[in-house]
Amino acid sequence: QVQLVESGGGLVQPGGSLRLSCAASGSIFSINYMGWYRQAPGKQREFVAAITSGGTITYPDSAKGRFTISRDNAKNTVYLQMNSLQPEDTAVYYCNARNTRAGEGENYWGQGTQVTVSS
């Protein structure tokens, strides 16, 4: 019902920046939450940032001050601006969209985009 396509990942040096994009399509009218998560090899998927339809933004401590989530409603796109990247940020980054009032019935994931931070 909802399709999410991430883009913008790549290889950057420590201290560098990337902007990830997540384009949503389909039956998106009921979506009230969009977020970014990441998963490094051998590790559990980790929350990175989220924004609600009301504009509430949430970050974990690992992202606060470095990452910024934003959205362009006209383009049905959410962005993640990542600055001061560190090797520990290396992971596959996934876009998530959900209706928080509808449980798992409306919870969608993109295919992921690889972010590698290395010198």
Side-chain angles (χ1 to χ4, degrees):
Q1 295 172 309
V2 174
Q3 294 176 320
L4 305 172
V5 179
E6 301 101 328
S7 61
L11 174 64
V12 296
Q13 297 184 84
S17 299
L18 284 173
R19 189 180 77 158
L20 307 183
S21 299
C22 174
S25 61
S27 301
I28 63 174
F29 62 91
S30 64
I31 298 299
N32 65 359
Y33 169 106
M34 295 193 72
W36 289 94
Y37 296 75
R38 67 187 183 187
Q39 188 165 23
K43 293 188 176 181
Q44 192 173 15
R45 187 165 54 192
E46 177 186 29
F47 172 72
V48 175
I51 185 168
T52 70
S53 59
T56 300
I57 294 174
T58 305
Y59 304 103
D61 289 342
S62 61
K64 195 171 298 183
R66 299 190 301 125
F67 294 3
T68 302
I69 189 170
S70 62
R71 66 187 178 195
D72 185 337
N73 289 333
K75 296 181 178 179
N76 295 322
T77 299
V78 171
Y79 305 94
L80 182 68
Q81 178 67 44
M82 303 187 293
N83 301 131
S84 302
L85 285 164
Q86 307 166 204
E88 294 75 25
D89 297 315
T90 296
V92 177
Y93 284 69
Y94 296 93
C95 183
N96 174 243
R98 66 184 72 179
N99 181 338
T100 59
R101 297 180 177 179
E104 295 301 313
E106 294 191 52
N107 187 11
Y108 308 95
W109 294 91
Q111 83 290 343
T113 184
Q114 177 71 47
V115 172
T116 302
V117 185
S118 176
S119 59

